[in-house]
Amino acid sequence: MADTPPRTGSPATHDTDLIIIGGGPAGCAAARTAASVGMRSVLIEPDTLCRNLYRIPALNNVLGGHTSGPALADSITAELKSTELCRVELGRHVIELRAADDHVAVTLDTGMRLTAPYAVVATGVAPLQPRDVPWITVPSGFTLPPLWQADADGRTLLVLGGDRPIGTFLRAHPTTGTRLLVAYPETDEYKIEEIRDDPRVTLLPVAHLTLHLSAGATVRADVVSRDGGRHTVTADAVHLSIGNAPTAPSGDLVRGADGYCPPTRQHSRVIVAGDLRSARFQRIMTAFGSGSEAALHAYYAARELPIRD
């Protein structure tokens, strides 16, 4: 039987060895890795573990044989529940994170305060709405559903944005007759390569789009093309695929101009992991690696061991 690493043990003044904020793939990987080296952790998640994975019906870029998000999420959840050194706090929001010379402290929405030598922040991202981007105009007060909520029932859907969930939707419904009209800005050009040749997709590169919504059965959009041309498109429904925005608790986190939290700019006791790091690395496998690395970073730092690249 393999040897089990000795538990590190926090000083009596701390509640645990490691606080993990966010229960997605990165946060769960951090908890599993921390336990493997004997560190206690408290994982705080306001919803369910790996909640976003349940919205991904088809996977083609993860190891382990999982081909759907829900199956992978169930597997991760089962593993974490068997992790004795991790205490999971579900349904709790971290409203503030503070870092000091020798510890971090988080305050929950219940008023509870927890301290540890280090914290891993893996709160990820949340979907954008049209009001968050300059190239879409919609009637005031309207919010639109993301593409993963769409029914593949053979209708014509107008998709705003070229983000990668479009490819996931098409893989999840390989025989659907649903037609997608994908209106996307120039900044999404690199994202639509995987759907460019799909016969169910019509690509609409736009400079600006104005959406008209009514109680009728169709939606209409006035499109300004990148060459200045103007035309109108109609569809049975409209859904979003315009990307995500980083989410993070208030307090001692350093944010870049894009809202993300670069790991190299954080307090030495705050370790950022997963999608919160950058828009460039929002993949399940990179989240796993990032979360595991974050836990090891805390482990080595607690022992004042050198962390080498």
Side-chain angles (χ1 to χ4, degrees):
M1 184 173 63
D3 293 335
T4 300
R7 187 170 69 80
T8 63
S10 293
T13 54
H14 297 320
D15 298 295
T16 189
D17 300 318
L18 183 66
I19 295 171
I20 303 169
I21 307 172
C28 290
R32 287 288 287 176
T33 299
S36 75
V37 293
M39 297 180 74
R40 296 179 304 153
S41 66
V42 176
L43 187 153
I44 305 161
E45 165 56 46
D47 201 317
T48 58
L49 295 177
C50 295
R51 65 189 184 279
N52 287 335
L53 288 184
Y54 287 100
R55 303 170 181 175
I56 304 176
L59 294 176
N60 69 346
N61 60 355
V62 298
L63 299 173
H66 294 286
T67 58
S68 78
L72 178 59
D74 288 344
S75 175
I76 294 171
T77 299
E79 284 200 38
L80 196 61
K81 286 182 177 179
S82 70
T83 304
E84 295 182 0
L85 291 179
C86 177
R87 186 178 104 218
V88 179
E89 292 280 348
L90 292 180
R92 299 288 181 260
H93 290 266
V94 172
I95 60 174
E96 187 177 60
L97 167 68
R98 294 296 177 189
D101 290 341
D102 60 349
H103 72 280
V104 292
V106 301
T107 303
L108 307 187
D109 53 353
T110 60
M112 179 188 298
R113 185 175 182 271
L114 297 172
T115 65
Y118 293 91
V120 171
V121 185
T123 47
V125 296
L128 291 168
Q129 282 289 325
R131 62 179 175 270
D132 300 314
V133 297
W135 63 275
I136 303 174
T137 297
V138 299
S140 178
F142 271 88
T143 59
L144 299 175
L147 181 59
W148 61 265
Q149 291 183 349
D151 293 324
D153 53 7
R155 298 184 300 165
T156 296
L157 305 181
L158 175 61
V159 182
L160 305 184
D163 213 42
R164 292 187 176 90
I166 301 173
T168 301
F169 177 87
L170 293 169
R171 289 192 298 273
H173 307 287
T175 61
T176 182
T178 299
R179 181 184 175 213
L180 303 183
L181 306 178
V182 179
Y184 66 99
E186 188 172 7
T187 52
D188 283 1
E189 193 70 47
Y190 74 99
K191 298 180 182 180
I192 52 86
E193 289 303 317
E194 67 173 311
I195 63 171
R196 186 182 296 278
D197 297 326
D198 195 301
R200 296 167 293 176
V201 173
T202 298
L203 295 175
L204 304 172
V206 305
H208 193 270
L209 180 145
T210 300
L211 188 67
H212 303 279
L213 300 171
S214 66
T218 62
V219 296
R220 177 173 61 88
D222 295 330
V223 172
V224 179
S225 301
R226 294 180 201 166
D227 61 5
R230 297 174 180 268
H231 63 280
T232 298
V233 297
T234 60
D236 298 307
V238 59
H239 290 270
L240 293 177
S241 190
I242 59 177
N244 301 289
T247 61
S250 64
D252 294 334
L253 275 170
V254 179
R255 295 165 173 80
D258 57 1
Y260 287 90
C261 300
T264 57
R265 296 179 57 191
Q266 306 306 318
H267 190 283
S268 61
R269 294 189 177 273
V270 176
I271 310 161
V272 174
D275 291 357
L276 189 62
R277 298 172 299 160
S278 166
R280 296 285 184 176
F281 299 102
Q282 292 182 10
R283 295 290 189 277
I284 295 168
M285 290 301 293
T286 58
F288 284 148
S290 173
S292 296
E293 183 179 354
L296 289 177
H297 182 115
Y299 174 78
Y300 291 130
R303 283 155 182 73
E304 298 183 348
L305 297 173
I307 300 171
R308 302 184 186 278
D309 293 334

